[in-house]
Amino acid sequence: MNNLLGLDADGLERFFAAQGEKPFRARQVLRWIHQRRESDFAQMSDLAKDLRAKLVASARVEAPQIVGDTAAADGTRKWLLKVDGANAVEAVFIPEANRGTLCVSSQAGCVLDCAFCSTGKQGFNRNLSSAEIVGQLWLANRLLKVDRQGERPVTNVVMMGMGEPLLNLDNVIPALRLMLDDNAYGLSRRRVTVSTAGVVPGIDRLRDECPVALAVSLHAPNDELRDRLVPVNRKYPLAELAKACNRYLDKAPRDFITFEYVMLGGVNDSDAHARELVALAGKVKSKFNLIPFNPFPRSEFKRSSPERIRRFADILARAGLTATTRKTRGDDIAAACGQLAGDVADRTRRTVALKELRA
């Protein structure tokens, strides 16, 4: 049975055409599923009874199953979501005064194996489907509606959860289109951010098919260090990545790229590293988001001291760059940046995929 939760407007129109129905049915069903969060076709009252019966027989609306729901002291909320018999992924909601941000996963695990990331250490199993990706937003809105007294709970989406989104664009792009569709979630392109470790062909495809705000997990100012911390750099080094970022800016909803930079004590946080970043920023219009490292078991790294982070940010600021330091949220429930691990069956695919990326 077709899971309509993951079909964007074009996909739903094709589905209804195959059923002998008019294209406008897609808009009706989009609103029922995503705005009213309805999963029961029998309740979709402006559809003809025979169409409702047809949908009951041929389709479903099914989100991942919630198997864990944890709240942090700061209000951050993390869900563990079962996507199949072997895998669960995590989504995190971060409430703030004027917005609510949902961090969404795109893969069960991650193939890129960045040295400082807990998610990458647990292996990789598979890509998430469009329904499994947008289902995280569908569930969050459904669950948070009660808690936030009718307010629109999720105002921003960041694809910074488990996985590398640009290695799953066949499923990520339809999910993004649903997030942007006025008949679904109606988010602006500026309020939806995709984060990548630097998969250059994916940056170009996202630019051409569904440009949203782009964040690049940089974490090092030179190729030698980045090869160690972010292995995909061996295939797409900094010079090539910078060119891709500039191509992306031609169609981006923001006039800058956000460079994310995790602060690792004694590894990438020296004054010299900061000055190298200043030089790199001269090649790409960008802003920097400095992220205090979030420790996890058996990690080889430590967090930079607050004074070191302040000094690093000050060097960037004196050079005329915008540099913010991310406030750590949800670390008491392992929901902070780099801590998501979920429950993934590693079937040795990561080793094979890494060899392909490094080739």
Side-chain angles (χ1 to χ4, degrees):
M1 296 175 70
N2 291 281
N3 188 357
L4 304 191
L5 183 61
L7 295 184
D8 61 13
D10 289 343
L12 269 179
E13 285 190 9
R14 290 192 296 270
F15 170 80
F16 280 113
Q19 303 285 323
E21 298 289 341
K22 300 291 186 182
F24 76 90
R25 295 299 188 192
R27 295 190 297 275
Q28 287 180 295
V29 172
L30 276 175
R31 289 192 289 267
W32 274 108
I33 293 174
H34 300 287
Q35 293 184 356
R36 302 187 189 186
R37 294 171 287 282
E38 183 57 68
S39 59
D40 184 355
F41 297 120
Q43 299 300 315
M44 299 182 182
S45 55
D46 59 352
L47 302 182
K49 286 185 178 181
D50 61 339
L51 175 56
R52 280 181 267 170
K54 190 186 298 185
L55 289 173
V56 168
S58 64
R60 71 190 196 282
V61 176
E62 184 177 330
Q65 178 186 352
I66 299 171
V67 293
D69 185 344
T70 312
D74 63 11
T76 298
R77 192 163 168 184
K78 181 176 76 170
W79 295 285
L80 182 64
L81 305 171
K82 183 179 179 180
V83 293
D84 58 41
N87 295 285
V89 300
E90 291 172 329
V92 177
F93 177 70
I94 305 166
E96 297 178 83
N98 298 313
R99 65 181 179 181
T101 301
L102 184 70
C103 183
V104 172
S105 294
S106 58
Q107 296 178 313
C110 186
V111 70
L112 295 185
D113 196 25
C114 294
F116 50 83
C117 182
S118 171
T119 307
K121 298 305 175 188
Q122 44 133 33
F124 170 78
N125 190 21
R126 68 171 177 84
N127 290 325
L128 298 188
S129 68
S130 296
E132 290 164 342
I133 295 169
V134 82
Q136 297 167 63
L137 176 56
W138 186 84
L139 283 170
N141 276 330
R142 208 178 200 203
L143 293 165
L144 295 165
K145 190 77 170 177
V146 176
D147 296 347
R148 293 173 66 83
Q149 301 177 345
E151 297 175 25
R152 184 179 181 183
V154 178
T155 62
N156 295 64
V157 174
V158 293
M159 205 159 283
M160 298 179 182
M162 297 172 64
E164 166 55 60
L166 299 193
L167 292 178
N168 186 22
L169 283 177
D170 287 347
N171 292 303
V172 165
I173 286 174
L176 291 175
R177 287 174 174 158
L178 282 168
M179 294 174 192
L180 302 174
D181 195 320
D182 287 340
N183 289 304
Y185 299 95
L187 298 173
S188 76
R189 293 180 186 273
R190 295 169 62 89
R191 289 182 174 268
V192 178
T193 301
V194 169
S195 177
T196 178
V199 181
V200 166
I203 293 173
D204 289 331
R205 181 178 170 189
L206 187 67
R207 166 191 179 272
D208 292 337
E209 297 187 30
C210 192
V212 292
L214 184 68
V216 174
S217 295
L218 193 65
H219 310 311
N222 59 66
D223 284 322
E224 182 180 3
L225 180 56
R226 197 164 191 266
D227 283 352
R228 173 191 164 196
L229 298 178
V230 187
V232 72
N233 192 72
R234 300 170 195 174
K235 188 169 182 68
Y236 307 114
L238 284 171
E240 190 173 344
L241 177 59
K243 291 176 183 176
C245 288
N246 283 322
R247 291 193 297 270
Y248 195 87
L249 285 172
D250 290 340
K251 295 185 178 180
R254 295 182 181 273
D255 61 355
F256 61 87
I257 302 293
T258 299
F259 283 139
E260 298 171 301
Y261 197 93
V262 66
M263 300 296 294
L264 304 171
V267 176
N268 66 350
D269 63 347
S270 70
D271 289 1
H273 290 132
R275 288 190 287 270
E276 283 186 279
L277 277 186
V278 170
L280 180 62
K283 301 175 183 177
V284 180
K285 190 171 183 181
S286 53
K287 294 184 178 181
F288 288 86
N289 187 10
L290 306 181
I291 307 169
F293 173 64
N294 293 306
F296 57 89
R298 296 178 298 280
S299 168
E300 63 180 288
F301 300 105
K302 63 180 181 180
R303 179 182 295 184
S304 302
S305 69
E307 175 58 25
R308 180 90 296 267
I309 296 174
R310 187 204 63 75
R311 169 69 181 169
F312 195 95
D314 189 54
I315 293 172
L316 299 181
R318 288 205 309 269
L321 303 177
T322 298
T324 58
T325 300
R326 181 180 295 177
K327 181 180 178 182
T328 299
R329 299 289 301 272
D331 54 342
D332 55 331
I333 57 169
C337 182
Q339 288 185 317
L340 300 188
D343 183 9
V344 175
D346 184 357
R347 298 176 183 170
T348 71
R349 296 183 189 180
R350 182 173 68 188
T351 301
V352 174
L354 277 173
K355 288 180 179 177
E356 293 175 351
L357 284 169
R358 294 169 178 174

